[in-house]
Amino acid sequence: MKPVSLIQFLIEERRAGHINAELSLLIEVVTRACKRIAVATSKGALGGVLGNAGSDNVQGEAQKKLDVISNEILLEANAWGGHLAACASEEMEDPQPIPDMYPKGNHLLLFDPLDGSSNIDVNISVGTIFSVLRCPEDVTEPKVEDFLQPGTQQLAAGYVVYGPATLLVLTFGHGTHEFTLDREVGSFILSRRDIRIPEQTAEFAINMSNQRHWEAPMQRYVGELLAGKEGPRGKDFNMRWVASMVADVHRIITRGGVFFYPLDAKIKAKGGKLRLMYEANPMAFIVEQAGGAATTGRERIMDLQPTGLHQRVPVFLGSKGEVEVATRYHREADVAFA
Ligand code: FDP
């Protein structure tokens, strides 16, 4: 079969009425910026891009040089195309307006420019996550509240993982599709159409070092997985934790599995570890479109009404069967203690 490039795929999606010309351009621009990030990450020590930038982001986390570089690449690429009303990033407290000298479009873009960046210095896969919303009508200067739309309102979501290969995973709400960067030609080529995540799995991803801080239903659920064949689940489970969300989610998209970043006593006051608007929502959209499930342990992630641009939530996502069991345990515990 003839290879299908991302550009061809976007034209097909336009013809099918799934996206308009502006959204197609937006995806072209974002993915072109991601190719530049891929080049920057692949240089490693030779590019002088490793290590800390010497600054903190809005959430008080140390910024890596590559966090700052990736954020700038995405901002610069998206400023002038005329497809955006504003964008928001993990690295910036407030949304970034489109400079007055450029035309404005009808879309809002949110991104985590370099997810898993604490792994960059040790040469483990990192990635960019993005989510696209429609700018509310008649809003010319979008404010934070214009971004606070539930995940169900996303027009598109995607991530690019910078690993041994650079891969793009994309959804417009009509299935989840994977593209592989052909480095020689410089194009993303469709490598998997309509990805399906197996409903059942025997593989889970969680940071076990937080175990003693988890809530009781999480302790129960993981305790049962660890008990294996001899326990109530009657089968052995294997554990994988890259500590880079894009890489962990990509494994699940490829061969199934579940990923958890639950609430624990250390992070309870913050609401969770992962950010709703540019981590949990886009990943939930991608996973649901591939037949998986994504909850906070209690509710569907995409149904949440956001309250802040940098809001954090617990995340349970991947193979439907396991997300359902873990979510049921939390709901049952809530009812028992109500
Ligand atoms: P990072 O802080 O390195 O950007 O987005 C947060 C994240 O990585 C996820 O990519 C990853 O899954 C998680 O944090 C890792 O958390 P732990 O430090 O608890 O392992």
Side-chain angles (χ1 to χ4, degrees), residues 112 114-119 207 210 241 243-246 248 259 261 273-275 279:
D112 178 354
L114 206 65
D115 180 67
S117 58
S118 50
N119 287 311
N207 183 344
N210 295 323
W241 181 248
S244 179
M245 192 193 194
V246 275
D248 279 311
F259 171 95
Y261 216 115
K273 158 98 183 183
L274 300 172
R275 275 51 62 107
E279 290 179 319

Side-chain angles (χ1 to χ4, degrees), residues 113-306:
L114 206 65
D115 180 67
S117 58
S118 50
N119 287 311
I120 191 73
D121 296 344
V122 290
N123 203 29
I124 286 174
S125 300
V126 288
T128 299
I129 310 172
F130 60 91
S131 163
V132 183
L133 296 166
R134 187 172 288 114
C135 184
E137 266 179 47
D138 302 327
V139 171
T140 48
E141 305 284 331
K143 308 251 175 332
V144 169
E145 53 269 29
D146 300 310
F147 283 83
L148 302 184
Q149 305 177 32
T152 48
Q153 298 301 307
Q154 291 174 105
L155 301 177
Y159 64 79
V160 176
V161 54
Y162 311 109
T166 293
L167 303 176
L168 161 71
V169 172
L170 185 63
T171 186
F172 296 122
H174 298 274
T176 291
H177 316 285
E178 180 205 79
F179 301 81
T180 301
L181 181 63
D182 180 336
R183 290 181 209 259
E184 276 131 59
V185 179
S187 308
F188 279 107
I189 305 294
L190 185 64
S191 37
R192 282 190 295 157
R193 201 189 275 272
D194 257 321
I195 296 170
R196 301 313 290 169
I197 300 175
E199 266 194 35
Q200 300 305 330
T201 183
E203 210 164 62
F204 68 105
I206 195 163
N207 183 344
M208 283 296 297
S209 70
N210 295 323
Q211 184 173 21
R212 69 190 188 284
H213 305 293
W214 295 337
E215 295 180 288
M218 200 64 208
Q219 304 266 6
R220 173 188 171 198
Y221 173 73
V222 175
E224 290 184 3
L225 301 188
L226 297 178
K229 255 194 203 125
E230 294 74 36
R233 301 299 304 275
K235 71 173 184 183
D236 289 336
F237 285 80
N238 193 14
M239 201 194 84
R240 287 283 179 272
W241 181 248
V242 183
S244 179
M245 192 193 194
V246 275
D248 279 311
V249 170
H250 196 70
R251 186 187 55 254
I252 289 166
I253 287 283
T254 305
R255 65 180 193 211
V258 267
F259 171 95
F260 301 103
Y261 216 115
L263 209 53
D264 70 44
K266 284 188 301 164
I267 54 175
K268 199 164 182 186
K270 292 183 177 169
K273 158 98 183 183
L274 300 172
R275 275 51 62 107
L276 174 62
M277 299 301 293
Y278 40 79
E279 290 179 319
N281 265 342
M283 289 308 199
F285 194 19
I286 288 165
V287 163
E288 283 196 10
Q289 283 296 315
T295 75
T296 62
R298 290 169 163 98
E299 299 156 272
R300 181 182 177 218
I301 287 175
M302 290 210 292
D303 283 340
L304 295 176
Q305 174 57 54

Side-chain angles (χ1 to χ4, degrees), residues 84-101:
L84 282 187
C87 44
S89 157
E90 184 194 1
E91 305 301 328
M92 306 181 306
E93 178 125 41
D94 297 312
Q96 169 102 354
I98 297 301
D100 285 340
M101 60 215 203

